[in-house]
Amino acid sequence: MASQERLGAVSKGTKFRHCPQRTTYTSGTCELLRVMMKESKLTNSQQRYIMDTMKRDLEKEKRRLQNIFATGKEPEDRPKKGPTRQEKPAPEPDRFEELVKEIQERKEFLDTMEALGQGRQYRGIILAEISQKLREMETIDHKRSEVLRKTLSTT
């Protein structure tokens, strides 16, 4: 009895102050949704997100069915256009070259700061960063020379 009263309260297509159309669910479905939301311990915002997603899916299905009714056939899924030609992936930038560029950028920055009269404030920091980059370059150079020696000794 209470479920019939509840179904009557949720009317479809009412135009009172432009209220959105509401879908009528059976009381069993409503109760199932409420129980599942409580058991999953979702926050209110998560519950709203789920309900909005369900609503959007229902609208998409509604449009699909309207299209079938209008045309008499299932709408064809349009293939998503991907890249038609396969481009070669860009070669990975050489870390050694990256370090060279980074050192140049730091030197330019230090020169700019010195021109503005703030070189003293940044000089220690920038020189420390440059020395770290140089050490990293030395380790890369050492590893490359070892690999080169190994390849030359095996041939």
Side-chain angles (χ1 to χ4, degrees):
M1 181 89 167
S3 65
Q4 290 176 349
E5 290 172 351
R6 184 170 201 106
L7 285 175
V10 181
S11 60
K12 252 187 165 177
T14 58
K15 302 289 183 202
F16 183 73
R17 296 198 185 230
H18 303 289
C19 293
Q21 279 188 323
R22 291 192 145 175
T23 307
T24 55
Y25 291 110
T26 63
S27 60
T29 304
C30 292
E31 188 62 32
L32 177 65
L33 284 172
R34 274 191 225 104
V35 169
M36 289 176 68
M37 296 269 194
K38 285 180 184 176
E39 286 179 358
S40 64
K41 297 179 182 177
L42 297 174
T43 64
N44 286 336
S45 62
Q46 290 171 330
Q47 290 178 8
R48 266 186 263 123
Y49 175 76
I50 290 171
M51 295 305 285
D52 289 344
T53 305
M54 285 182 11
K55 188 175 184 181
R56 273 186 238 117
D57 290 343
L58 288 174
E59 289 176 6
K60 186 187 282 186
E61 182 66 13
K62 184 178 173 183
R63 272 187 255 117
R64 187 184 73 83
L65 291 173
Q66 285 175 343
N67 203 2
I68 290 173
F69 185 71
T71 61
K73 58 184 176 182
E74 187 84 22
E76 297 178 14
D77 291 334
R78 295 180 183 159
K80 294 181 180 178
K81 293 183 179 180
T84 55
R85 61 174 186 221
Q86 293 181 351
E87 297 178 12
K88 295 179 182 177
E92 291 185 23
D94 186 24
R95 179 64 181 151
F96 196 85
E97 293 299 320
E98 287 179 8
L99 290 170
V100 170
K101 289 179 184 176
E102 289 176 12
I103 289 173
Q104 288 174 346
E105 289 173 2
R106 281 164 177 74
K107 282 183 180 179
E108 290 171 5
F109 175 78
L110 187 59
D111 291 340
T112 305
M113 290 298 116
E114 286 179 354
L116 295 172
Q118 297 179 354
R120 179 181 285 171
Q121 181 181 357
Y122 293 101
R123 187 176 296 122
I125 297 169
I126 299 299
L127 291 177
E129 289 179 1
I130 289 174
S131 66
Q132 287 176 344
K133 304 294 179 193
L134 286 172
R135 275 187 252 128
E136 190 175 345
M137 289 172 71
E138 288 172 354
T139 57
I140 291 171
D141 186 46
H142 181 69
K143 288 177 184 177
R144 286 182 178 175
S145 60
E146 278 186 32
V147 169
L148 186 60
R149 275 191 219 116
K150 286 180 182 179
T151 56
L152 289 175
S153 65
T154 57
T155 56

